[in-house]
Amino acid sequence: MDYFLVRKKFLEYFERQGHRVVSSSSLLPDDPSVLLTTAGVQQFKKYYTGELDPMRDFGGRRVASAQKCFRTSDIDEVGDDTHLTFFEMLGNFSFGDYLKEESIRFGYEFIVKELGVDVSRIEVSVFEGTDGVPRDEESFRIWREEMGIPEERIHFSGMEDNFWGPTGKNGPCGPTTEIYVDGIEVWNIVFNQFFCSGSREELLSGKASLENLSSPGVDTGMGLERLVTIINAKKSVYEVGPLQKIAEEIGGEVTEEREQRMIADHLRSALFLISDGVMPSNKEVGYVLRRLIRRVLARERKIPYEKIFEQIEGIYKGLYDLRAHEAFQVLTKERGKFEKSLGKGLREMASIMKIGAKEAFRLYESYGLSYEVIKDRGEGRLAFTRAEFDAEMEKHREVSKAGMEKKFGGHGLILDTGELKAGSEEEVKKVTRLHTATHLLQAALREVLGPEVKQAGSDITSERLRFDYAAPRKLTEEELRQVETWVRNMVSEDLLVSYEEMPIEEAKRTGALYFFKEKYPERVKVYYVGKSLDEAISKEFCGGPHVTHTGEVGEFQIVKDEAVGAGIRRIRAVVK
Ligand code: SER
C-alpha cells in the first residue's frame, strides 16, 4: 500500500471517528525548551493542561494529524535500514474525551481492518507500573478480552519503554501501550494522565513529580515511513514512499547505497528546515541544518541539487509548501563557505607532520575534511587506522548527542548516558578514561575471582568510577591488590580499544559480557581491548565512549571495596 494512501486512510478513518483533522505545525516548535518538533503531540500540549480550549479551537475534543518531525539523535546512523532525521508522524489525540477503551480499539481497527494486517502479526506492550503509577491492568484486559490478543503476545514493561514524555522542561506524560507488527514497534498510544513538573531525565532520576492533568486524554504517534515499510514487508525505510523516489534519483549520480540514502535523507530534511525558515549557522537549529548540508557536500559535488529539491517539492505538493528554489540558493551560499573552510583545512593539514586519529578528527570536525580526503592527501604522514578514526567520531557523537538531550530538558550535563555523567569537555575526557578503566576492572575481577563475577551497576562521574558486582565472596586485601595490578599492567601495555558493530545474536556468540538488566537493540557494539576481538582481554556490549588506547587511562587506583547488599559489592576507583 502506497505511502500517501496510508496517510490519507489514517486521516479519513479518524475523521469518521469524530476527529478534526489538524495541519502539521512547524518543525520549529512554539516551546523554547525544545529545539525541534519531535512528536505530533507537541503542538497540543496546552489542550491537556487546560491552558487552551479545544472546543473553541477545533469545535471538539478529538483531533488527528500527520506531523512533520525531526530527530537528530541518530544522525550518524542515517543511511542504514531504519534511521532517518525527518519523518511524518501520524497521530490521534483526545483532550478529556476518550481514554483506553476507544484508543485501543481505534488502533487495532486501523491496523487490522483498514490496512489489512493479519492479526497473527500483532503483539502489544503494556505498562508494568512503578512507584505511584499502577500496572495498567485495564489495557491488558482490553487487549486480551475485547481485541482477543492472546496473553503470550501481550508484554509488560516499565518506564523506559512504556511511559512517554514529557518533552521539554515539563508537560503532559503518562503510561503507554504499543502495537508491534512483526516484532517492530509501529504505534505508541500514550495515556496522558499526568503533568510532570520537570523534564523526562528529572522524572527518571526522581527529581520531578507527577500531578493529575486537568484534561487527561490520549496522544498517539505512528511513524509513517516505518509503518509503510512494515506493512509492505520491505526491509528499509528507504525502499518506500518519498525517500525511495529521492534515493533513486540520487542513485544516478552516487552508486554506494548507504551514501545515496544519507544524501536523500539530508536533502529532504534540509529542504523542510529551510522551508520552515531555518538558515545555516553555528548554533542550535541553524547548526543542525549546516551539518546536514555539509555532510552532503563533503561527499558529493556533482548532484543536480536544484533538480532534486524541485522533485521533493513536487512529491509533497498539496501537503506542504516547500521552497526548492530558496533551498538551492541557501545550499549554494553554504557551499561557498564550506569550500573556503576546506581550503583552510587542507593548508592546516599540510602543516601537520604526523596525523593521528585525534588530528584527523579535528580536521574533519573543524574544516569538514572527510576521512577519504585526509587519506588521499596525507600519504606518508598518516598514523591511524579507520577503527581509531571511527572511535574518535564515536566519542564525539556521544557528546553531541548528550548536548542535544540537554536541550530537550537535561540538567546542566553535556554528557549523560545514564552510566557516564560530565558537565564540561574536560570532564568528558575524564569520564571516558574512567569508563575504559571500568571495563578493565570488570575483566580483572573475573581474572581474580572467576567468571561468576557479574556486573550489577556502574556509575561514572569525573571524580571516580563506581562499579557494583555480584560475587560469590568478598575479595581479600591481597586479591584487591592483584585486581589493581592487573588493570595497571593492561594500562602500561597501551592496548588498542576499539569496537565492532554486529547483530545482537552474533555479539552474544563472541562471548562479550552484557548487562542482563538492560534491553539492547537489534545491532549492538562490542567494545574490546586488545589487538582484535578474538585476542581481546575484555569485550563488552557498550555504547562508548572509550579512549582509543589503554595508556590514556592513566594511573588506576582502587579506593574502596564495600558491601552494598546481599551478595553485591561496590568498588570505587580513580585514575590520575
Ligand atoms: N508522543 C508519543 C511519541 O512520540 C506518541 O505520539 O511516541
Side-chain angles (χ1 to χ4, degrees):
M1 197 183 285
D2 173 69
Y3 180 96
F4 289 107
L5 180 61
V6 173
R7 191 183 191 280
K8 184 161 167 273
K9 272 184 176 267
F10 180 88
L11 297 174
E12 285 174 359
Y13 171 80
F14 280 98
E15 204 163 22
R16 288 200 304 276
Q17 312 302 327
H19 293 65
R20 161 75 71 87
V21 173
V22 176
S23 318
S24 170
S25 62
S26 164
L27 283 170
L28 300 175
D30 178 22
D31 176 351
S33 67
V34 183
L35 200 57
L36 284 155
T37 299
T38 59
V41 70
Q42 256 158 281
Q43 68 162 320
F44 300 121
K45 272 169 95 166
K46 290 184 176 149
Y47 296 102
Y48 295 99
T49 57
E51 285 160 83
L52 289 176
D53 178 9
M55 295 307 290
R56 195 198 59 198
D57 295 348
F58 310 122
R61 301 189 171 278
R62 301 176 173 203
V63 303
S65 70
Q67 171 70 47
K68 298 182 266 193
C69 294
F70 197 102
R71 294 189 181 178
T72 49
S73 52
D74 297 316
I75 200 164
D76 290 302
E77 248 108 34
V78 167
D80 66 1
D81 285 337
T82 55
H83 290 97
L84 27 79
T85 53
F86 171 91
F87 62 98
E88 282 194 285
M89 186 187 275
L90 302 174
N92 55 292
F93 307 87
S94 147
F95 314 118
D97 192 277
Y98 58 83
L99 274 172
K100 297 184 181 176
E101 186 88 33
E102 276 161 295
S103 58
I104 291 178
R105 187 163 51 74
F106 292 154
Y108 178 87
E109 249 183 40
F110 181 71
I111 298 280
V112 175
K113 305 218 173 104
E114 298 289 316
L115 299 184
V117 172
D118 197 276
V119 197
S120 65
R121 294 167 67 189
I122 294 179
E123 284 177 81
V124 302
S125 69
V126 173
F127 186 55
E128 74 180 1
T130 184
D131 292 348
V133 188
R135 183 178 155 103
D136 189 358
E137 298 295 351
E138 190 186 346
S139 295
F140 178 73
R141 185 192 58 75
I142 298 168
W143 281 119
R144 203 189 42 183
E145 290 171 16
E146 296 181 31
M147 307 300 136
I149 302 289
E151 215 167 307
E152 64 277 11
R153 285 198 268 127
I154 308 176
H155 310 283
F156 278 91
S157 76
M159 291 297 287
E160 217 29 74
D161 289 329
N162 280 81
F163 194 97
W164 197 83
T167 52
K169 64 180 191 306
N170 57 33
C173 59
T176 72
T177 183
E178 300 164 318
I179 303 178
Y180 288 70
V181 177
D182 299 341
I184 298 164
E185 183 207 326
V186 296
W187 206 339
N188 191 12
I189 299 172
V190 183
F191 304 119
N192 263 332
Q193 252 170 282
F194 304 109
F195 183 86
C196 177
S197 63
S199 68
R200 179 167 175 86
E201 287 73 18
E202 285 164 334
L203 176 66
L204 292 177
S205 59
K207 290 189 202 111
S209 57
L210 300 174
E211 270 171 49
N212 287 329
L213 272 178
S214 69
S215 285
V218 174
D219 145 32
T220 86
M222 175 155 61
L224 182 52
E225 282 67 4
R226 189 197 286 183
L227 174 71
V228 176
T229 305
I230 294 165
I231 61 169
N232 287 303
K234 295 282 192 216
K235 209 168 139 263
S236 159
V237 291
Y238 294 90
E239 288 169 26
V240 300
L243 274 180
Q244 181 197 19
K245 294 205 187 83
I246 306 165
E248 244 172 46
E249 190 69 26
I250 290 164
E253 304 294 337
V254 183
T255 47
E256 219 259 306
E257 188 181 51
R258 201 173 161 131
E259 299 270 295
Q260 262 172 34
R261 293 169 165 190
M262 187 278 279
I263 294 169
D265 170 87
H266 286 14
L267 290 180
R268 177 173 74 163
S269 295
L271 176 56
F272 269 91
L273 285 172
I274 293 165
S275 303
D276 272 341
V278 180
M279 292 300 270
S281 78
N282 280 337
K283 61 180 217 284
E284 308 201 325
V285 190
Y287 184 61
V288 172
L289 175 60
R290 170 159 286 166
R291 270 188 81 194
L292 291 172
I293 296 179
R294 292 192 175 194
R295 278 163 59 97
V296 173
L297 292 174
R299 289 172 171 84
E300 262 329 308
R301 310 302 169 86
K302 55 181 191 289
I303 289 180
Y305 290 107
E306 189 163 22
K307 191 171 136 226
I308 304 277
F309 282 140
E310 277 166 7
Q311 189 208 2
I312 306 173
E313 183 183 293
I315 291 174
Y316 288 97
K317 205 150 210 84
L319 298 176
Y320 297 108
D321 281 327
L322 296 176
R323 302 194 216 142
H325 182 64
E326 192 178 325
F328 180 63
Q329 284 175 329
V330 170
L331 182 130
T332 307
K333 205 162 154 214
E334 188 62 17
R335 188 208 298 251
K337 290 192 181 157
F338 184 51
E339 275 164 5
K340 247 198 195 140
S341 169
L342 283 181
K344 266 196 216 154
L346 289 173
R347 282 195 294 282
E348 169 79 20
M349 186 169 149
S351 70
I352 310 175
M353 295 322 295
K354 185 169 159 248
I355 305 168
K358 281 212 165 63
E359 288 75 34
F361 180 72
R362 199 171 51 79
L363 291 168
Y364 165 79
E365 181 64 5
S366 317
Y367 303 103
L369 302 193
S370 65
Y371 172 80
E372 286 71 24
V373 169
I374 299 171
K375 222 177 83 188
D376 283 355
R377 310 277 188 111
E379 227 164 294
R381 293 181 292 139
L382 299 183
F384 64 96
T385 62
R386 176 88 214 206
E388 287 167 332
F389 182 80
D390 287 346
E392 205 54 45
M393 289 273 272
E394 177 67 13
K395 215 190 289 178
H396 169 82
R397 189 152 73 82
E398 290 300 327
V399 175
S400 62
K401 192 165 171 176
M404 286 298 176
E405 269 153 24
K406 182 183 151 209
K407 185 71 196 176
F408 286 96
H411 30 85
L413 295 172
I414 67 165
L415 176 69
D416 185 358
T417 67
E419 182 187 2
L420 279 63
K421 294 173 188 69
S424 66
E425 293 289 339
E426 273 314 297
E427 289 187 6
V428 171
K429 289 190 189 135
K430 192 77 188 287
V431 297
T432 303
R433 290 164 55 208
L434 283 161
H435 190 198
T436 306
T438 304
H439 281 215
L440 292 174
L441 172 64
Q442 175 158 221
L445 287 167
R446 290 163 57 88
E447 280 290 316
V448 174
L449 272 174
E452 306 88 274
V453 170
K454 294 254 154 19
Q455 172 168 351
S458 168
D459 179 89
I460 301 172
T461 69
S462 59
E463 303 285 307
R464 49 100 188 121
L465 68 85
R466 199 181 75 195
F467 185 72
D468 293 350
Y469 61 105
R473 63 180 174 78
K474 180 175 181 236
L475 285 162
T476 63
E477 272 301 311
E478 165 67 23
E479 286 169 333
L480 263 182
R481 285 310 129 225
Q482 281 173 16
V483 168
E484 193 177 76
T485 308
W486 194 90
V487 173
R488 289 180 171 190
N489 288 342
M490 295 306 149
V491 170
S492 58
E493 283 187 30
D494 199 20
L495 301 167
L496 175 69
V497 183
S498 189
Y499 70 86
E500 274 178 31
E501 200 176 324
M502 60 188 88
I504 185 153
E505 288 311 318
E506 196 182 324
K508 286 183 180 166
R509 283 196 296 274
T510 66
L513 302 176
Y514 56 97
F515 195 20
F516 289 91
K517 275 201 204 144
E518 197 135 316
K519 275 183 95 179
Y520 291 97
E522 292 279 320
R523 284 180 72 79
V524 296
K525 291 193 173 120
V526 175
Y527 263 92
Y528 62 90
V529 179
K531 266 208 271 317
S532 66
L533 196 48
D534 283 341
E535 293 168 70
I537 53 128
S538 152
K539 30 189 169 179
E540 292 190 27
F541 286 28
C542 182
H546 283 280
V547 300
T548 55
H549 287 88
T550 55
E552 294 162 51
V553 167
E555 192 185 321
F556 174 81
Q557 194 186 348
I558 294 180
V559 291
K560 200 167 185 183
D561 174 48
E562 61 186 329
V564 285
I568 306 282
R569 304 201 52 91
R570 169 173 290 176
I571 284 184
R572 287 169 198 269
V574 295
V575 293
K576 284 185 217 148

